[in-house]
């Protein structure tokens, strides 16, 4: 098999709402170049699918149009047509694509599971045809945790039979995240659209035992439905709640943070920087009186903000002696009178500007953080049809007298006068969003404390419990602390402001224990020991045994020492010693496995950090880090490794083993 090239590798990462794809591996791994909605529309023929909604439109054709575009050269008589009208020659059906609608769309993935295979295959075919890869193209597909082994076989057969790919690789999304972060052991929490997946990865191997797959209602859609439940009585729609969830004013607070109240919103709104009375050190009543007599203070000290004149600031300046008296003779003799006057004017202007800035700062209220504000404004972009906005006919800002023959002067580039303000939207964005028969209109809506309750329906508790069960299900107890210290929270559902911090705070409050706590020592005791009390009543006491059971190995004899002394001469061992020694060794090994480390509850919970050398991902975020890990894995599997570690399934291996052979390959 010839080696693969970087520019020929195809990566596809399907999701419940968005599918990411890219052809080629750039020198510096970048976010996905192709993003399409994971949906298809039924076509006119049954069993076929279209990527966009196709609408039928009836267009009336007049006789004049037929005469203009007709094929015969005969004259068309219009004797029966009323004056000013053209007779109709029939209707013509045309088809238009509507890229902005979801009407009739079919989403083949629901909570990660494939619910419509025909639609899903059509989606994969559309992605493949859009990128148009060459024939010798290896394909890497990111697999959802909810996919079964039968699903893997079905996809393998589809890609080999449909696209004739030379190599195919299936990679779990949680494992791809570990490749992106560069950590072999981690707990991956993927917050999706309608579900959440929790996976423990140990040395790049997925622990299927206790894996939290498709925790329903713990995704972004669950938070949207919670907001709709709280705000539906106030006239909010689902689209409003969805935009509210994605805005900056929606925030998930930690369990220990109280909601702001109406009485607290007005507290602390004044600026702490308030001009106060200025009293010079060492000044007495007579001194203050002398200064006031010279015009130093405009008002008495304590009567309000004191003002210090320019020449009486107590600082020795150029042209002044030690007593602070202006020496005019020295200034004139120096020949720098103009410079001195300019300096004085400059200082006076600076002090006036400083006083004005201090006054403005004192008058302006202090801006509270979002978590302390009772109300905030949502900038809602509503999609409205052009007919509703009345811009198909007369322009909305056209003067009323223009239609009646009055002043027809109007702006060159008239702006649509609608409710809200859309002037801040760039022209390019406006043209893109106003395609078709609708456009967006911005409205300002006031929202209360309901915006802080998007995740208060138990979402954080369900995810935290699933993380705890997943980590405790890892067989290697010594690895559990490392799993707690490498927590990765990602997914587009976790983009809600404050969600990650609130999840970590929930884990800390429910499961984190202090290393200095006494429970860390008592939990290490065997289960048959009761916790010792301060009175010594529960202190374990040695119990007497029959003489026949003690033999040569009493309770104080080390079984390992006894085994070493009797190994060379077994006759020295008393009867039954080997069976007793074997039972004691098994008991010690059992306690070492159960209590070798404190793995029941974590002593620290840390969040893993993605490497910073992927500069293109800094502005995008880490929510789609699985695609970055897929690029790293594709580079290793297809380019560097070239199949030596069975990272992918080749065409010849598929011909020999069939679709079932995919389980022997992969990462």
């Amino acid at each position: 098999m010839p080696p693969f090239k970087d520019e020929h590798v195809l990566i596809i990462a399907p999701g419940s709402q968005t599918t990411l794809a890219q052809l080629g591996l750039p020198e510096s791994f970048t976010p996905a170049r192709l993003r399409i909605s994971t949906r298809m529309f039924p076509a006119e023929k049954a069993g076929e699918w279209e990527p966009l909604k196709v609408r039928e439109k009836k267009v009336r054709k007049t006789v004049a149009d037929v005469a203009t575009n007709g094929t015969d050269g005969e004259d068309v008589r219009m004797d029966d047509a009323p004056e000013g009208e053209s007779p109709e020659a029939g209707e013509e059906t045309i088809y238009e694509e509507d890229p902005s609608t979801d009407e009739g769309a079919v989403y083949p993935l629901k909570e990660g599971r494939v619910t419509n295979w025909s639609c899903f295959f059509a989606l994969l075919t559309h992605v493949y045809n859009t990128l148009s890869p060459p024939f010798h193209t290896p394909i890497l597909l990111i697999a959802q945790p909810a996919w079964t082994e039968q699903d893997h076989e079905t996809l393998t057969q589809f890609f080999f039979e449909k696209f004739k790919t030379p190599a195919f690789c299936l990679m779990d999304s949680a494992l791809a995240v570990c490749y992106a972060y560069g950590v072999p052991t981690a707990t991956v929490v993927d917050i999706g659209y309608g579900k959440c997946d929790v996976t423990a990865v140990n040395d790049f191997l997925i622990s299927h035992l206790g894996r939290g797959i498709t925790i329903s209602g713990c995704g972004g859609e669950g938070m949207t439905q919670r907001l709709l439940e709280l705000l539906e009585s106030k006239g909010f729609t689902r689209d409003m709640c969805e935009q509210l969830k994605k805005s900056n004013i929606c925030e998930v607070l930690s369990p220990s943070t109280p909601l702001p109240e109406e009485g607290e919103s007005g507290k602390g709104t004044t600026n702490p920087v308030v001009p106060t009375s200025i009293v010079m050190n060492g000044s007495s009543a007579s001194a203050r009186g002398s200064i006031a007599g010279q015009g130093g203070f405009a008002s008495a000290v304590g009567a309000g903000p004191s003002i210090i004149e320019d020449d009486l600031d107590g600082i020795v300046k150029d042209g002044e002696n030690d007593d602070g008296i202006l020496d005019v003779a020295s200034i004139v003799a120096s020949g720098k009178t103009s410079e001195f006057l300019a300096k004085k004017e400059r200082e006076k202007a600076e002090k006036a500007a400083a006083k004005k800035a201090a006054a403005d700062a004192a008058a302006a209220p202090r801006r509270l953080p979002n978590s302390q504000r009772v109300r905030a404004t949502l900038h809602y972009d509503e999609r409205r049809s052009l007919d509703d906005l009345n811009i198909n006919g007369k322009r909305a800002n056209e003067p009323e007298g223009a239609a009646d023959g009055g002043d027809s002067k109007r702006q060159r580039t008239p702006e649509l006068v609608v409710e809200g303000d859309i002037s801040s939207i760039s022209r390019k964005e406006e043209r893109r969003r106003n395609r078709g028969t609708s456009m967006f209109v911005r409205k300002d809506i006031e929202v209360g404390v309901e915006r802080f309750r998007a995740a208060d329906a138990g979402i954080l508790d369900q995810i935290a419990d699933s993380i705890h069960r997943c980590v405790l299900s890892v067989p290697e107890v010594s690895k559990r602390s490392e799993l707690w210290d490498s927590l990765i929270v990602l997914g587009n559902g976790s983009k809600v402001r404050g969600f990650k911090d609130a999840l970590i705070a929930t884990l800390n409050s429910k499961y984190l224990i202090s290393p200095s706590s006494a429970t860390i020592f008592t939990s290490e005791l065997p289960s048959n020991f009761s916790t010792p009390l301060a009175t010594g009543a529960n202190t374990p006491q040695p119990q007497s045994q029959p003489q026949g059971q003690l033999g040569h190995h009493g309770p104080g004899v080390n079984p390992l020492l006894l085994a070493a002394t009797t190994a060379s001469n077994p006759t020295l061992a008393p009867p039954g010693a080997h069976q007793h020694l074997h039972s004691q060794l098994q008991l010690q090994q059992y306690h070492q496995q159960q209590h070798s480390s404190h793995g029941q509850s974590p002593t620290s919970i840390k969040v893993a950090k993605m490497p910073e050398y992927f500069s293109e991902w800094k502005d995008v975020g880490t929510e789609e880090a699985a695609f970055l890990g897929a690029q790293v894995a594709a580079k290793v599997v297809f380019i560097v490794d070239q199949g030596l570690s069975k990272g992918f399934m080749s065409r010849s291996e598929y011909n020999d083993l069939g679709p079932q052979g995919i389980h022997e390959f992969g990462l």
Side-chain angles (χ1 to χ4, degrees):
M1 179 186 299
F4 299 111
K5 297 182 179 180
D6 291 348
E7 57 270 19
H8 293 167
V9 177
L10 176 61
I11 302 175
I12 303 176
S16 299
Q17 293 293 306
T18 305
T19 296
L20 309 179
Q22 180 172 296
L23 178 61
L25 298 176
E27 184 177 354
S28 178
F29 298 141
T30 60
R33 298 176 180 174
L34 177 63
R35 299 174 60 92
I36 62 174
S37 297
T38 309
R39 67 184 184 188
M40 297 296 287
F41 296 88
E44 185 177 1
K45 185 181 294 185
E48 296 184 358
W49 303 87
E50 297 288 345
L52 297 176
K53 178 68 176 179
V54 179
R55 298 183 181 274
E56 294 184 2
K57 186 176 181 180
K58 301 292 185 179
V59 179
R60 294 184 178 182
K61 299 187 66 177
T62 62
V63 177
D65 297 334
V66 175
T68 304
N69 303 324
T71 56
D72 52 357
E74 299 180 359
D75 295 337
V76 179
R77 298 182 58 85
M78 303 176 61
D79 298 338
D80 299 334
E83 184 178 358
E85 296 183 5
S86 300
E88 297 181 357
E91 293 183 350
E92 181 183 3
T93 302
I94 62 175
Y95 297 92
E96 293 181 348
E97 292 182 347
D98 189 357
S100 61
T101 183
D102 289 339
E103 180 184 353
V106 177
Y107 290 83
L109 293 180
K110 296 292 181 61
E111 295 183 351
R113 297 185 177 92
V114 182
T115 58
N116 192 323
W117 282 102
S118 175
C119 180
F120 188 50
F121 289 155
L123 174 69
L124 295 176
T125 304
H126 171 62
V127 173
Y128 188 89
N129 295 335
T130 301
L131 296 175
S132 185
F135 182 75
H136 192 66
T137 298
I139 300 176
L140 188 147
L141 181 67
I142 298 297
Q144 293 290 330
W147 292 355
T148 62
E149 293 184 354
Q150 185 178 0
D151 296 341
H152 293 177
E153 297 173 5
T154 304
L155 289 169
T156 302
Q157 181 178 3
F158 172 76
F159 276 94
F160 275 109
E161 299 294 340
K162 177 69 175 180
F163 305 124
K164 312 298 181 182
T165 177
F168 179 69
C169 175
L170 269 173
M171 186 178 188
D172 194 279
S173 59
L175 187 60
V177 173
C178 292
Y179 270 78
Y181 278 76
V183 291
T185 302
T187 304
V188 181
V189 183
D190 189 357
I191 313 295
Y193 173 73
K195 50 88 179 178
C196 170
D197 297 319
V198 181
T199 307
V201 181
N202 184 12
D203 292 334
F204 291 112
L205 295 177
I206 295 177
S207 178
H208 295 279
L209 183 63
R211 186 179 188 183
I213 300 178
T214 312
I215 307 174
S216 182
C218 293
E221 179 63 16
M223 289 182 274
T224 303
Q225 293 298 328
R226 176 57 179 168
L227 291 174
L228 181 61
E229 179 183 350
L230 296 171
L231 297 172
E232 189 175 9
S233 60
K234 298 183 179 181
F236 275 67
T237 61
R238 187 197 173 279
D239 186 54
M240 290 182 181
C241 295
E242 181 70 19
Q243 294 191 27
L244 173 62
K245 182 190 68 176
K246 296 179 180 180
S247 64
N248 293 328
I249 65 174
C250 180
E251 185 175 358
V252 179
L253 304 180
S254 59
S256 60
T257 304
L259 294 177
E261 299 179 358
E262 291 287 350
E264 298 178 357
S265 61
K267 296 180 180 180
T269 57
T270 58
N271 196 313
V273 183
V274 180
T276 57
S277 301
I278 303 175
V279 180
M280 299 175 59
N281 295 333
S283 61
S284 59
S286 59
R288 289 196 298 270
S290 62
I291 294 176
Q294 298 176 11
F297 286 106
S299 60
V301 178
S306 301
I307 303 173
I308 303 178
E309 293 293 338
D310 299 337
D311 297 334
L312 299 176
D313 56 357
I315 303 176
V316 179
K317 302 179 181 179
D318 295 338
E320 297 180 358
N321 56 16
D322 296 338
D323 296 332
I325 301 175
L326 190 63
D327 191 355
V328 181
S330 61
I331 297 174
V332 176
S334 62
K336 299 180 180 179
T337 306
S338 59
E339 290 82 354
F340 179 79
L341 295 177
K343 181 180 179 181
K344 288 296 182 181
E345 292 294 334
R346 188 164 54 251
E347 291 177 356
K348 184 183 296 185
E350 292 176 357
K351 289 186 178 183
K355 288 187 291 184
K356 183 179 180 182
D360 294 342
R366 182 169 59 91
R367 184 178 180 86
L368 291 174
N370 179 62
S371 59
Q372 298 180 12
R373 285 185 290 170
V374 178
R375 301 187 180 277
T377 302
L378 168 67
H379 302 293
Y380 171 61
D381 294 333
E382 181 185 7
R383 181 187 294 272
R384 299 176 62 180
S385 64
L386 300 181
D387 296 335
D388 296 340
L389 296 177
N390 192 22
I391 63 175
N392 285 334
K394 185 177 64 175
R395 300 189 180 185
N397 65 335
E398 184 177 354
E400 296 182 358
D404 302 331
D407 187 11
S408 61
K409 295 183 180 180
R410 51 194 177 192
Q411 299 178 0
R412 232 175 182 175
T413 55
E415 297 181 358
L416 182 64
V417 179
V418 292
E419 184 179 357
D421 181 18
I422 61 172
S423 59
S424 59
I425 305 176
S426 62
R427 293 183 178 272
K428 182 178 179 181
E429 182 70 11
E430 187 177 353
R431 286 195 301 267
R432 185 186 68 83
R433 299 173 66 180
N434 293 349
R435 292 182 302 181
T437 60
S438 62
M439 68 175 301
F440 283 85
V441 178
R442 172 160 293 184
K443 294 182 178 180
D444 294 337
I445 305 175
E446 193 176 53
V447 188
V449 295
E450 294 86 359
R451 68 186 191 276
F452 300 122
R453 302 176 57 187
D456 67 348
I459 295 178
L460 297 176
D461 292 333
Q462 293 184 42
I463 299 176
D465 294 342
S466 180
I467 294 173
H468 187 252
R469 288 194 302 267
C470 182
V471 174
L472 290 185
S473 301
V474 176
E476 299 184 28
V477 183
S478 59
K479 288 289 186 179
R480 295 177 184 175
S481 60
E482 188 175 354
L483 290 171
W484 283 112
D485 290 339
S486 299
L487 189 64
I488 302 176
V489 183
L490 74 160
N492 290 325
S494 64
K495 284 185 176 181
V496 181
R497 182 178 180 182
F499 182 85
K500 297 180 181 179
D501 297 335
L503 179 59
I504 299 300
T506 304
L507 289 171
N508 291 335
S509 62
K510 296 187 67 173
Y511 304 111
L512 186 67
I513 63 173
S514 174
S516 60
S517 176
T519 57
I520 192 173
F521 303 105
T522 58
S523 61
E524 299 300 331
L525 296 176
S527 59
N528 57 351
F529 281 4
S530 60
T531 304
L533 298 179
T535 59
N538 292 349
T539 303
Q541 300 293 334
Q543 301 178 1
S544 60
Q545 297 182 4
Q547 186 66 24
Q549 295 182 6
L550 294 175
H552 296 283
H553 53 287
V557 178
N558 191 341
L560 298 178
L561 179 61
L562 178 63
T565 55
T566 59
S568 59
N569 192 356
T571 58
L572 297 178
H578 292 288
Q579 290 80 1
H580 185 76
L581 176 62
H582 181 68
S583 62
Q584 283 192 344
L585 289 177
Q586 285 184 342
L587 184 62
Q588 287 186 359
Q589 291 177 0
Y590 171 77
H591 287 309
Q592 288 178 0
Q593 293 177 0
Q594 294 296 323
H595 308 286
S596 60
S597 65
H598 191 74
Q600 302 300 322
S601 297
T603 58
S604 65
I605 300 177
K606 301 178 182 178
V607 179
K609 187 178 180 181
M610 196 170 70
E612 297 181 354
Y613 44 77
F614 297 110
S615 58
E616 289 81 1
W617 289 83
K618 291 183 179 180
D619 298 333
V620 178
T622 61
E623 285 77 16
E624 297 176 352
F627 195 83
L628 172 61
Q631 297 181 68
V632 177
K635 182 74 173 182
V636 174
V637 172
F638 293 126
I639 308 302
V640 179
D641 185 68
Q642 291 288 336
L644 296 179
S645 61
K646 292 188 175 182
F648 62 85
M649 188 177 189
S650 63
R651 178 72 186 182
S652 59
E653 293 167 339
Y654 173 78
N655 295 333
D656 297 338
L657 302 176
Q660 295 78 11
I662 191 61
H663 307 302
E664 302 179 7
F665 301 88
L667 300 173

